[in-house]
Amino acid sequence: MLDTENALVKSYRMARDSLLKNPDSNLKLRIISSRKNDGRTYNLPTSSEVAVLIVGDVCNLIDHRDIIVTTRTGTLQRISELHPSYLPLQYPLLFPFGDDGYRINIPHRNITDVDSSTRGKVTMREFFSFRIHDRVNQFSLILNSRRLYQQFLVDAYTMIESERLGFIRGKQSLLREETLQNLNDAKNEGNTDLSCTGQRVILPSSFTGGARFMMQNFLDAMSLCKWYGYPDLFITITCNPKWPEIVRVLEDTNLTPDERPDYLCRAFKMKLESLMKDLKDKSLFGKVQAVVYTIEFQKRGLPHAHICLFFHMDDKLPTPDHIDRVISTEIPDKNQYPELYSLVRDFMVHGPCGHHNMKSPCMSNKICTKNFPKKFRERTSTDQDGFPLYRRRRDGPTIMKSGEEIDTRYVVPYNKFLLKKYQAHINVEWCNQGNAIKYLFKYINKGPDRTQMKLDNPEKGSEQLKGRDEIKDYYNCRHISACEATWRIYANKVHYRYPTVSRLPFHLPGQQQVVFGEEDDIDDVIEKASVCSSMFLDWMRCNGMYPEARSLTYVQFLSKFVWKEKERCWKPRKRGICIGRIHSVSPALGEAYFLRILLNKVKGPKSFEEIKTVNGHQHSTFKDACYALGLLDDDREYIEAIVEASHYGSGHYLRNLFATMLWCNTLSRPEHVWENSWETLSDGIVYQQKQNPNTQGSSINANQLKNLTLLEIQKILLRNNSSLSNFESMPFPDDVSILLSENMLIDEELSYDKDTMKRSLKIFS
């Protein structure tokens, strides 16, 4: 059938026959990629006379690269995913007639106006989204190819992502960024060649799934905490492949749910939207002021969502009785609630693990990493760190699972209404009011899963980027399931946040970043509208135009005004809610750090000079203005900076920040800052101890916690070749015997035993 119907197969057969007749000839079979006419009408030639053998005219442009079969050379040719014959060659059984895959410039149907704002050409994502939809009275070979369909989906998404990253990498040698002041200096020096000016642009935060994308989402989520307080509920919902909707649509086929990942993703998206409507619009548990969720995919492939809810002050859950009305960890009575009993048994029981099953995946060193089984409790309470301890009564019903009798100590917290309605694993947790909340946001924005495999195939002759290759890091060991590929092909959201958080840039005079091409004219770059009217500069201009703006700081400004990107200006806000977040900077950056301090205090300045003006006197630097306002005399602002950073930074980050302050000699009284912030700087040590099976149950008193924190700061300073004699005012411990009194966790990543700790201390001393 392929010999008869597939033009690509015919071409290969013809090349084979030519080689058999002339075995000494050096041949190349080129399959033309160019499509000047509609590919649905003008297909690849089917007669053997059109097959042309060409030697040595391969174009290097990615959108014109052809597929070539080469003999005698012994080298491999990279095949572009943008070639229309790539898919039929990769999947000959899915494209038995050799019909075109994706190609450049496929027109949208019924779009003739080339000047329309609507995109007139089909993107690769749109092409694959079109191909993986069911159609009435039409059989799709792709959708019924079982595991080959899964491979097709993953390959399709990697093609889409490869095209996007290829565009970014292709611009690395063309796009650069530099400050406006440096560009003006270059112009004044007569240097008009921009190819040697500025630094290259790296993987941006706008690229979905990248490290900067995840970090910016994390910081945005923490901004909601600063505005609305801590979240009240943390909900995790996982896709159930046995949902009635999925079973019903597959009942007339021989396919299993995992062989149709598109059905799983569609069903999960509908359930998630319904859940958000119940929580946010219908106020199931109370009025929701803000919500954040992130979509992730397990190694087994099923999608799940992590949701954080922020309630109105009148709808908080302040007491154990309020928590018990929303969250349950007990097994319902089988006779009184048979449906709920079966749902808890199927979806909300952990394990069995422990002495029931020592080979359970959650077991490590004979201890469950999820801290099961829990302890029996007669009533709900919280521990000293604010973690919830749910009611688990001893005399409740039991469940038989995997041949073992399971009691309430193995039940995952759930809500009865949500479990009955959505019939899936849906974990509901009350959020503690401690510093560990940042680890919750870190967890839901941790990025993609990775596997223990790496494929590296750099192209010869390509320009190598200096330093870290972030695009290569993004690819490294990444694990992509069929469900994740389908979710991204459908362009479903992987991160949702309400209300909107807007990131507010700022810069020193003349230091706004300018992105340009190496072939651009320097005068045109400097006179760009985007350069002359940045968000920050236009904010100061609006302060002179609108009287109400004079009473607002930069962050508060967003509550009354909205940035119009196309017009490059601020306009009064008519509707909606938006929260502002100023980009954070390190104290090591000097004036930029002090400018940020002033932006949180000064209201309605119309120029940089007004920002530096205090009580009618204009100071020469932003640092002097901070001193005049009394922000730096007693190091109070540094203490506030540590507290502010604690809202989004890990304990390791905070200790590095404090070490940077010491190293830069910016603190007038380091011991004063330490005494007023050591509890914040010690963040993470107790939390990590609770999470580590080797240190569960051990307690740390205040003196031990203080010394462990000082030891971590010592290590950071010593790693940076700093002499501890320069910080004599700091109470660094000389006698570390107190640290060895118990098997303590003293590092963010490693759990030391006593011998290892002694060796480490010897090295650092």
Side-chain angles (χ1 to χ4, degrees):
M1 181 269 177
L2 293 175
D3 285 339
T4 305
E5 303 292 343
N6 195 316
L8 297 174
V9 171
K10 290 182 180 180
S11 299
Y12 278 112
R13 300 294 195 208
M14 181 215 62
R16 181 200 60 181
D17 294 340
S18 299
L19 289 173
L20 291 176
K21 293 179 181 179
N22 302 288
D24 297 329
S25 61
N26 187 16
L27 304 176
K28 285 187 179 181
L29 171 62
R30 176 172 175 176
I31 303 175
I32 308 299
S33 67
S34 176
R35 286 286 188 277
K36 295 183 179 179
N37 298 301
D38 191 343
R40 292 169 293 183
T41 305
Y42 297 89
N43 292 315
L44 287 172
T46 57
S47 61
S48 60
E49 63 183 10
V50 185
V52 181
L53 301 179
I54 305 174
V55 177
D57 74 12
V58 181
C59 181
N60 290 324
L61 295 178
I62 190 170
D63 58 338
H64 294 96
R65 192 177 298 169
D66 301 330
I67 293 178
I68 298 175
V69 179
T70 309
T71 65
R72 304 293 181 226
T73 63
T75 59
L76 296 177
Q77 296 280 351
R78 177 176 173 82
I79 301 176
S80 170
E81 297 92 341
L82 301 179
H83 195 290
S85 296
Y86 174 81
L87 287 175
L89 287 172
Q90 182 79 355
Y91 299 96
L93 298 183
L94 299 185
F95 299 86
F97 297 101
D99 47 326
D100 281 357
Y102 175 75
R103 58 184 174 83
I104 298 293
N105 296 330
I106 300 177
H108 276 294
R109 184 176 295 171
N110 300 328
I111 292 183
T112 57
D113 186 7
V114 295
D115 296 327
S116 172
S117 59
T118 304
R119 184 190 293 112
K121 304 298 182 181
V122 176
T123 66
M124 186 181 290
R125 189 202 62 77
E126 292 172 334
F127 172 81
F128 284 114
S129 181
F130 175 84
R131 292 304 299 260
I132 63 175
H133 272 82
D134 281 304
R135 287 172 175 77
V136 180
N137 300 324
Q138 181 178 342
F139 176 80
S140 172
L141 182 60
I142 295 177
L143 300 181
N144 289 272
S145 59
R146 298 179 182 273
R147 291 180 63 82
L148 190 59
Y149 177 46
Q150 297 176 345
Q151 179 178 334
F152 176 81
L153 289 171
V154 174
D155 203 4
Y157 174 63
T158 54
M159 288 171 61
I160 296 170
E161 203 164 64
S162 176
E163 180 192 31
R164 293 171 178 170
L165 290 173
F167 173 81
I168 295 174
R169 184 180 288 280
K171 295 295 184 180
Q172 297 288 310
S173 60
L174 302 177
L175 287 181
R176 297 174 181 273
E177 67 175 357
E178 187 54 273
T179 63
L180 178 61
Q181 180 177 330
N182 289 344
L183 287 177
N184 281 318
D185 293 342
K187 178 184 176 181
N188 295 334
E189 293 172 0
N191 181 14
T192 59
D193 183 10
L194 296 181
S195 62
C196 300
T197 304
Q199 59 184 1
R200 291 170 175 163
V201 179
I202 48 184
L203 193 61
S205 61
S206 59
F207 180 78
T208 303
R212 283 184 177 80
F213 172 85
M214 305 308 295
M215 188 59 187
Q216 292 301 323
N217 284 330
F218 163 69
L219 294 175
D220 290 344
M222 292 308 300
S223 296
L224 295 179
C225 280
K226 294 174 64 177
W227 195 270
Y228 295 107
Y230 292 113
D232 298 277
L233 287 182
F234 176 58
I235 301 176
T236 299
I237 179 172
T238 303
C239 176
N240 177 16
K242 296 181 180 179
W243 270 326
E245 296 87 347
I246 299 176
V247 174
R248 183 171 61 250
V249 78
L250 292 174
E251 61 184 359
D252 295 330
T253 70
N254 293 323
L255 301 175
T256 59
D258 65 295
E259 292 170 343
R260 288 302 301 266
D262 53 328
Y263 286 165
L264 296 176
C265 288
R266 289 185 190 175
F268 180 73
K269 186 173 186 294
M270 290 188 292
K271 299 285 186 178
L272 180 60
E273 290 176 346
S274 175
L275 175 61
M276 295 309 302
K277 187 174 183 180
D278 286 340
L279 298 173
K280 181 170 169 285
D281 299 336
K282 296 183 179 180
S283 302
L284 178 63
F285 301 130
K287 183 179 179 181
V288 174
Q289 288 188 305
V291 59
V292 178
Y293 74 67
T294 295
I295 306 297
E296 292 183 347
F297 297 85
Q298 300 169 334
K299 283 287 174 57
R300 58 183 290 201
L302 294 177
H304 61 280
H306 299 295
I307 308 168
C308 282
L309 297 176
F310 299 76
F311 290 149
H312 190 272
M313 288 300 298
D314 297 335
D315 296 308
K316 297 284 186 180
L317 305 174
T319 67
D321 291 336
H322 289 88
I323 298 174
D324 289 338
R325 285 198 289 267
V326 175
I327 301 174
S328 175
T329 56
E330 297 189 311
I331 301 172
D333 185 87
K334 185 176 182 180
N335 298 323
Q336 189 175 1
Y337 306 103
E339 181 185 4
L340 185 60
Y341 177 87
S342 62
L343 290 172
V344 171
R345 178 193 61 201
D346 294 340
F347 300 115
M348 305 310 301
V349 174
H350 174 80
C353 65
H355 68 275
H356 295 295
N357 180 16
M358 298 301 295
K359 296 182 179 180
S360 177
C362 64
M363 298 297 293
S364 176
N365 296 327
K366 298 183 179 181
I367 299 176
C368 175
T369 57
K370 307 300 181 182
N371 300 325
F372 284 93
K374 306 294 185 180
K375 295 180 180 180
F376 288 117
R377 297 184 184 277
E378 290 300 318
R379 62 188 305 272
T380 299
S381 62
T382 58
D383 62 14
Q384 59 181 0
D385 298 310
F387 289 92
L389 304 172
Y390 301 108
R391 181 177 61 189
R392 300 173 186 270
R393 288 173 284 200
R394 187 182 298 272
D395 55 351
T398 59
I399 286 177
M400 291 299 298
K401 187 171 183 180
S402 302
E404 300 289 344
E405 187 176 14
I406 302 300
D407 55 36
T408 188
R409 293 177 300 166
Y410 288 90
V411 176
V412 178
Y414 67 94
N415 175 265
K416 297 177 181 179
F417 174 80
L418 294 180
L419 182 59
K420 290 181 66 175
K421 181 173 182 178
Y422 294 100
Q423 300 182 19
H425 175 82
I426 180 164
N427 176 213
V428 182
E429 297 273 5
W430 179 74
C431 291
N432 63 292
Q433 301 296 304
N435 288 331
I437 194 66
K438 68 173 69 68
Y439 293 97
L440 172 64
F441 283 105
K442 277 286 189 182
Y443 174 73
I444 68 176
N445 293 286
K446 66 181 182 294
D449 286 332
R450 302 186 183 274
T451 57
Q452 298 299 317
M453 178 177 289
K454 179 179 179 181
L455 179 62
D456 188 12
N457 185 22
E459 295 182 26
K460 293 183 178 180
S462 62
E463 184 180 3
Q464 298 296 321
L465 300 179
K466 295 182 179 179
R468 180 179 177 185
D469 189 336
E470 294 189 356
I471 296 178
K472 183 178 179 181
D473 289 346
Y474 176 76
Y475 272 132
N476 184 31
C477 303
R478 189 169 171 222
H479 176 273
I480 302 175
S481 66
C483 278
E484 181 178 2
T486 307
W487 189 269
R488 298 294 298 276
I489 289 173
Y490 283 153
N492 295 331
K493 290 182 179 178
V494 297
H495 183 85
Y496 173 82
R497 182 175 56 254
Y498 172 84
T500 303
V501 176
S502 183
R503 302 157 192 170
L504 297 172
F506 71 97
H507 54 80
L508 295 170
Q511 295 296 314
Q512 59 263 48
Q513 292 294 320
V514 182
V515 179
F516 53 89
E518 61 179 19
E519 301 296 333
D520 291 349
D521 182 82
I522 191 169
D523 293 319
D524 295 338
V525 171
I526 294 175
E527 294 173 3
K528 277 184 181 179
S530 59
V531 174
C532 302
S533 181
S534 66
M535 289 180 67
F536 184 57
L537 294 177
D538 201 68
W539 166 64
M540 291 187 284
R541 184 183 65 83
C542 284
N543 289 334
M545 294 176 55
Y546 300 98
E548 63 269 29
R550 297 286 292 172
S551 62
L552 303 173
T553 63
Y554 194 20
V555 172
Q556 296 169 344
F557 187 76
L558 270 174
S559 63
K560 302 294 184 181
F561 294 84
V562 61
W563 174 254
K564 299 292 184 180
E565 184 65 36
K566 291 184 178 180
E567 303 174 31
R568 305 292 303 175
C569 65
W570 291 96
K571 296 288 185 180
R573 182 178 295 277
K574 298 180 180 179
R575 55 186 171 86
I577 304 173
C578 187
I579 296 174
R581 173 173 71 83
I582 303 180
H583 288 293
S584 59
V585 296
S586 169
L589 293 181
E591 280 293 273
Y593 173 75
F594 298 114
L595 172 60
R596 187 182 187 278
I597 293 176
L598 293 171
L599 292 177
N600 287 313
K601 305 293 183 180
V602 178
K603 296 181 178 180
K606 293 179 287 186
S607 64
F608 285 103
E609 288 71 23
E610 280 197 22
I611 298 176
K612 293 186 287 187
T613 301
V614 180
N615 297 326
H617 175 69
Q618 180 180 327
H619 295 272
S620 58
T621 65
F622 296 110
K623 183 176 182 180
D624 292 339
C626 288
Y627 272 108
L629 285 173
L631 300 176
L632 302 179
D633 290 336
D634 56 356
D635 290 331
R636 178 164 52 89
E637 191 58 33
Y638 293 105
I639 298 173
E640 291 182 5
I642 294 173
V643 173
E644 181 185 2
S646 70
H647 291 301
Y648 59 83
S650 65
H652 185 68
Y653 171 81
L654 297 175
R655 290 184 283 277
N656 270 281
L657 175 63
F658 182 69
T660 301
M661 293 177 178
L662 292 174
W663 180 72
C664 294
N665 197 26
T666 58
L667 304 179
S668 58
R669 290 191 297 163
E671 70 284 358
H672 173 73
V673 177
W674 161 253
E675 289 298 333
N676 285 274
S677 61
W678 74 265
E679 292 184 359
T680 302
L681 295 172
S682 64
D683 178 33
I685 295 178
V686 175
Y687 179 85
Q688 292 290 347
Q689 184 187 24
K690 285 181 176 292
Q691 300 301 111
N692 193 306
N694 297 326
T695 56
Q696 287 178 7
S698 59
S699 60
I700 300 179
N701 59 42
N703 191 40
Q704 286 177 317
L705 187 59
K706 222 172 181 181
N707 281 285
L708 288 171
T709 307
L710 284 168
L711 178 62
E712 287 292 304
I713 297 171
Q714 274 183 299
K715 290 162 60 177
I716 295 171
L717 292 170
L718 290 169
R719 288 191 189 108
N720 289 278
N721 299 320
S722 299
S723 174
L724 296 181
S725 60
N726 296 330
F727 316 109
E728 294 181 353
S729 61
M730 284 294 296
F732 289 129
D734 295 325
D735 183 9
V736 298
S737 60
I738 187 174
L739 303 179
L740 303 177
S741 60
E742 297 183 38
N743 185 16
M744 294 294 184
L745 179 73
I746 65 167
D747 195 275
E748 292 289 329
E749 300 176 354
L750 299 176
S751 176
Y752 291 105
D753 58 21
K754 293 184 179 181
D755 292 336
T756 305
M757 188 172 177
K758 289 178 181 177
R759 289 194 299 270
S760 300
L761 292 173
K762 184 179 295 184
I763 293 172
F764 287 119
S765 62

